[in-house]
Amino acid sequence: MKKIAFASLIVLLFSACAPTLTPVPSPVEESPTPAATWTPVPPTGTATVTPMPKLTLENLKSMSVEDKLKMAPQAESAPEDVVSSFAAGESARVIAWSGKSLTFWDRVVAYEGTTKSGEKVTLYYDLESGQWAKQYADFDEVSKIPADEVPDVMVVNDENGAHLVRNKLQYDYDWISQPQVMIEGKMVFRDEKGYPKAIWDTNAKKWLRPEETDIPWTREKWEKASIGAIYNSPLDGKEYQIPSTFKDPRYIVLGEADINKIEEGTEILILHPSGIMQVWANLEDAKKAFKDGATIVIPDLNYNPLNGLNFGRDSLFATAFSRWQSGDKDVFIRFGEFRSTHMNSMAIYVNEIPYFIDKNGRRICPILEKPKFFKVYGNDISGPADKMGVTDLIYWFDQFTAKGFNAMTVFINEEAFDFANPP
């Protein structure tokens, strides 16, 4: 497969004009690899009450990293059943702890330690629920957790490794698109990428595997959401039919036989099981996501680009915004960030971004996560977004429009961003 040059990238991903959408807060960094070794422990529940009160989301938003770590209990106080689920026969008091840090949206404390035998272990304490995360070998172990002991945080193992999962929302805004926790009576436990790993049916009082429900965004679900969908434009009030990526000859939706044939430098779109539509991804991440159930889309380089490519604007933005308008709050767009020598930026105009106006008169784009590296443009001024006052993770689009900017260029990594904006 041929590599895509910088010019092709912009044409491919953003060339048509249809209202676009914008942001879902981006996750913080990946959590440290949970648990080095697991030893079976009879499930007795995961929640352990500590003397420390739960911290509300409002509390946590106003606390510094130092304050959060200070509020967290000491690793030596971790319950025996929790510690044993990571290191059999070990007590938290005899493990050599090397420190603690924040992970999972800066709300979970990770404690790194080494056992007497030299085994590296990591324990987790959830500040929001006041619970230690116990580890479970597989879904069968999780399914034995009784109804009155359903935890808020745990580590679940599957064929792709260990996953720290929680049943909490990242943002406390009911209008913003983000992977949801409660869906039709089902409590979803997601990892930091938003992938569902275990589901508690609150009505039937039973545990379900994600594939037993329609919660994961499978290829079939993405196709159904895309084909034939209609969205109402916030710009002109008219209805627009959404072109389907899955039926478009300009793009290829990859199957298992093709995923390993992608060449480095190919433009990649990942439609994640969480509902995230990721524009830009490196090859390694795409392969991992595919193994975890993601749908991978690439452009067909044999298609004549002169016929017009509008991959991002009319398909992705419109699809996400139509789902938001219909009540789905788990579909949104994110720009991937990684090192690449083949592509580095994308131009977007303000009239292409769908939005709504909240009760305070602020323009909100609920489906596009604020890009990490981007430059903004006005009639007589331009510059890096952070230096131009466009910084808020939630209200960045309102800042963008209020300051009179009408276009932006998103960069794929810090090097490209710095190169385009020399000091």
Side-chain angles (χ1 to χ4, degrees), residues 1 217-224 226-227 243-260 262 266-271 290 293-301 311 315-316:
M1 196 160 288
W217 279 81
T218 60
R219 174 173 174 166
E220 293 72 25
K221 189 172 179 179
W222 279 115
E223 183 172 3
K224 184 178 179 181
S226 174
I227 294 176
S244 170
T245 298
F246 293 87
K247 299 296 184 182
D248 196 321
R250 295 170 294 181
Y251 309 108
I252 301 172
V253 183
L254 297 182
E256 186 171 2
D258 304 310
I259 194 67
N260 291 319
I262 304 177
T266 299
E267 180 186 335
I268 299 173
L269 166 71
I270 302 181
L271 303 177
F290 183 80
T295 300
I296 309 298
V297 181
I298 61 174
D300 184 351
L301 299 185
F311 190 67
S315 292
L316 304 185

Side-chain angles (χ1 to χ4, degrees), residues 138-143 156-159 186 196-201 206-216:
D138 49 32
F139 180 80
D140 288 340
E141 290 288 342
V142 172
S143 67
V156 179
N157 285 262
D158 61 19
E159 64 275 10
K186 297 178 177 62
K197 294 299 178 181
I199 295 167
W200 171 252
D201 189 323
K206 61 182 291 189
W207 289 94
L208 301 171
R209 300 176 187 271
E211 58 269 24
E212 294 180 83
T213 72
D214 63 355
I215 289 173

Side-chain angles (χ1 to χ4, degrees), residues 23 29 52-53 63 123 142 258 277 295 316 344 352 372 386:
E29 301 176 357
M52 172 188 146
M63 291 173 66
L123 298 189
V142 172
D258 304 310
M277 309 172 81
T295 300
L316 304 185
N344 60 17
E352 298 165 351
K372 188 172 183 179
D386 58 343

Side-chain angles (χ1 to χ4, degrees), residues 279-299:
V279 179
W280 294 340
N282 62 27
L283 188 54
E284 181 182 356
D285 288 345
K287 289 181 178 180
K288 288 180 180 177
F290 183 80
K291 284 180 60 179
D292 234 351
T295 300
I296 309 298
V297 181
I298 61 174

